[in-house]
Amino acid sequence: MLIFESIVSLQQYLKKKRENTSKIGFVPTMGALHEGHLALLKQAKQENDLVVCSIYVNPTQFDNQEDLTHYPRTLAADTEKLKYIQCDVLFAPTNIEMYPTPSLVAFSFGHLDKVMEGQYRAGHFSGMATVVAKFFNIVQPDTAYFGQKDLQQYLIVDQLIKSLSFPIQLVRHPIVREADGLAMSSRNRRLSPAQRAKAPKLYEALQLAADWLPKAAIVEVKRRTQEFLLQAEGPKVEYFEIAHGHTLEALTTYQPNTPTALCIAAFLGDVRLIDNLLLH
Ligand code: AMP
């Protein structure tokens, strides 16, 4: 595996490679790699001739300095995992490489970036879209892989690709979970053993909500879900929304044929977890 820190040297390498490579796949990450990330990379390996993974903890998408400081950074271990699955290229730039001058651009995605994560993490999606657009320009992949774990992010990247006419095929990978249902996340390693034991309640709550949906009004489903987590002394809910799976507009009634997203964010101590279920 080749490792690049510099944009220019990565671009020179990819330019040469493109002469005899038909398809480049790209998987952007913030590192602290787990089986969820690796599943995206393995799919990319199967569907492309060359796979580029980026590891970059993007400061412009963090609204919370603490979260940025505590974000796990495990580049040496990540590099070993990437070599093991035969990733072709790792791009791990520094902040000065990515932002030689402070970023002044801002993105807006209408309703999509105002709700849920957008409501609670000011500027998060603008920062995320900025770095993803930069990566798309740098790597110029044919396909890009994003996880359903960050459903709102996936929908916004889809919009970004359409709005800026990036010639990139976007692939959504399903959520990879631990055996007990907890969605894999780099933040899980910050959970204490007691918090880790409670974390799967989040997925349990989503499954219960999905069971209740056809039989109860949406307000009632939301109330019962919150009550379940409270009673179970599970993660403390920041939001729980039941929304259209493409537009994220809040749904007032459940219809089995409408793509429906159940999205939740909750805290265990100061660790913030998100999860979702998509019903079609
Ligand atoms: P991150 O490093 O958290 O920014 O994640 C990088 C990519 O991996 C994003 O597209 C995430 O949605 C995806 N991802 C992270 N965790 C999971 C998971 N448990 N299952 C599927 N995709 C994931």
Side-chain angles (χ1 to χ4, degrees), residues 211-247:
D211 283 349
W212 290 325
L213 259 185
K215 296 164 256 167
I218 281 191
V219 274
E220 175 62 11
V221 172
K222 286 171 84 169
R223 193 194 60 74
R224 283 192 209 169
T225 308
Q226 305 243 13
E227 194 177 290
F228 164 77
L229 283 169
L230 212 64
Q231 299 264 321
E233 295 180 9
K236 291 200 170 52
V237 178
E238 184 169 59
Y239 67 76
F240 173 51
E241 299 294 346
I242 298 175
H244 190 284
H246 300 163
T247 63

Side-chain angles (χ1 to χ4, degrees), residues 27-31 33-34 36-37 40 61 71 145-150 153 173-177 183-187:
V27 183
T29 81
M30 298 204 298
L33 300 180
H34 51 65
H37 297 116
L40 269 68
Q61 72 189 66
Y71 201 86
Y145 296 79
F146 284 78
Q148 184 198 316
K149 164 81 177 13
D150 301 280
Q153 168 173 280
H173 193 286
I175 301 180
V176 180
R177 299 181 179 281
M184 290 189 185
S185 163
S186 307
R187 289 185 174 88

